[in-house]
Amino acid sequence: LTTFKPLEPYVGMLSIPRDLWVFIPNIGENRINTAHFFAEAIQKDSGPHMLEETVESNFGIDINYYLRVKFDGFRELVNAMGGVYIEIDKAMAGYPPGNYHLTGRKALAFVRYRQNSDDFFRMENGQFMIKQLLKQMLNPLYWTRLPAAYHSFSKYVDTNIPIWIWPKMMFTLSRVGIGGIDSRSINRDMVTPFITNQGASVLLPDWSKINPVIRDIFGK
């Protein structure tokens, strides 16, 4: 979940673990990542709207737009940007601290890294990679690559964000700076591991700890 507030300026980002146990409208209680799946099984391309409804009903946030990206789109975007340069000061996704240049395939593997990790580590990896890509896109040295990146990316993306919103988002990012993004996650302290009657491992939300974070970022 991301919010852009150009006038402040402010950019807030919140990652939600896929196993968070929530109420899905017309479905019932289940993992939040199943909202899209159930909707798509009933009607193709209805997944994003069901996920919007699920987020709104559980988090009390009005969702204006969505962005759905296929894995191929992520790889193509990174490759069109000439790869992504990252600098890590601690071990992440199987890489020791250091500087690296990742292709699209390696960048996707970085984000999806599973060995000796869990959703909380993957959320951290995902936010880190998003920031590195945005940092590169805001660098004038890479602006000549943006048209090709957009062309490659657009083939694999589904969104209802109007074209006139994108400049406002990028302008807000440029004012805030990548280091100024307020990026947070629903972390281990905000959930309780739980086994359902069907034997599934899920995370029960502690709304007394989650709601203050929601208010901080989204003002709700």
Side-chain angles (χ1 to χ4, degrees), residues 18-19 91-94 109-125 188:
R18 64 178 186 173
D19 289 335
M92 292 183 72
F110 184 101
V111 173
R112 302 189 70 211
Y113 185 78
R114 295 178 179 273
Q115 186 176 351
N116 300 322
S117 68
D118 56 18
D119 272 352
F120 299 102
F121 285 109
R122 285 191 289 274
M123 287 191 296
E124 181 183 4
N125 294 348
R188 292 178 178 83

Side-chain angles (χ1 to χ4, degrees), residues 4-15:
F4 293 82
K5 301 176 183 178
L7 296 181
E8 294 192 18
Y10 174 82
V11 178
M13 182 186 300
L14 178 68
S15 290

Side-chain angles (χ1 to χ4, degrees), residues 41-155:
I42 297 171
Q43 182 178 347
K44 189 178 184 299
D45 293 332
S46 63
H49 303 292
M50 174 61 79
L51 191 53
E52 285 180 353
E53 290 183 29
T54 300
V55 171
E56 289 175 349
S57 63
N58 287 273
F59 292 86
I61 302 171
D62 295 329
I63 305 297
N64 302 113
Y65 309 108
Y66 71 85
L67 184 71
R68 181 170 60 168
V69 185
K70 296 181 180 180
F71 289 152
D72 287 342
F74 180 82
R75 286 194 294 261
E76 289 285 334
L77 172 63
V78 174
N79 287 333
M81 291 296 296
V84 58
Y85 291 88
I86 65 172
E87 178 181 354
I88 52 179
D89 55 11
K90 64 177 182 179
M92 292 183 72
Y95 289 86
N99 300 314
Y100 301 92
H101 174 256
L102 304 183
T103 62
R105 180 181 62 82
K106 290 182 178 180
L108 181 60
F110 184 101
V111 173
R112 302 189 70 211
Y113 185 78
R114 295 178 179 273
Q115 186 176 351
N116 300 322
S117 68
D118 56 18
D119 272 352
F120 299 102
F121 285 109
R122 285 191 289 274
M123 287 191 296
E124 181 183 4
N125 294 348
Q127 287 197 359
F128 173 81
M129 185 58 67
I130 289 173
K131 288 182 178 180
Q132 298 309 298
L133 280 171
L134 290 174
K135 180 180 179 180
Q136 200 158 306
M137 290 178 183
L138 292 174
N139 187 334
L141 293 176
Y142 291 89
W143 285 356
T144 57
R145 293 184 176 270
L146 291 179
Y150 174 78
H151 176 72
S152 298
F153 186 67
S154 62
K155 294 185 296 183

Side-chain angles (χ1 to χ4, degrees), residues 14 184-185 190 209-219:
L14 178 68
R184 311 193 207 181
S185 298
M190 302 176 186
K209 296 179 179 179
I210 295 174
N211 285 335
V213 177
I214 297 296
R215 286 193 293 269
D216 282 349
I217 299 176
F218 302 96

Side-chain angles (χ1 to χ4, degrees), residues 8-46:
E8 294 192 18
Y10 174 82
V11 178
M13 182 186 300
L14 178 68
S15 290
I16 302 172
R18 64 178 186 173
D19 289 335
L20 194 70
W21 194 251
V22 297
F23 174 77
I24 301 175
N26 303 317
I27 299 296
E29 293 186 330
N30 214 310
R31 293 186 181 95
I32 194 167
N33 73 327
T34 63
H36 184 279
F37 169 79
F38 284 129
E40 289 288 315
I42 297 171
Q43 182 178 347
K44 189 178 184 299
D45 293 332
S46 63

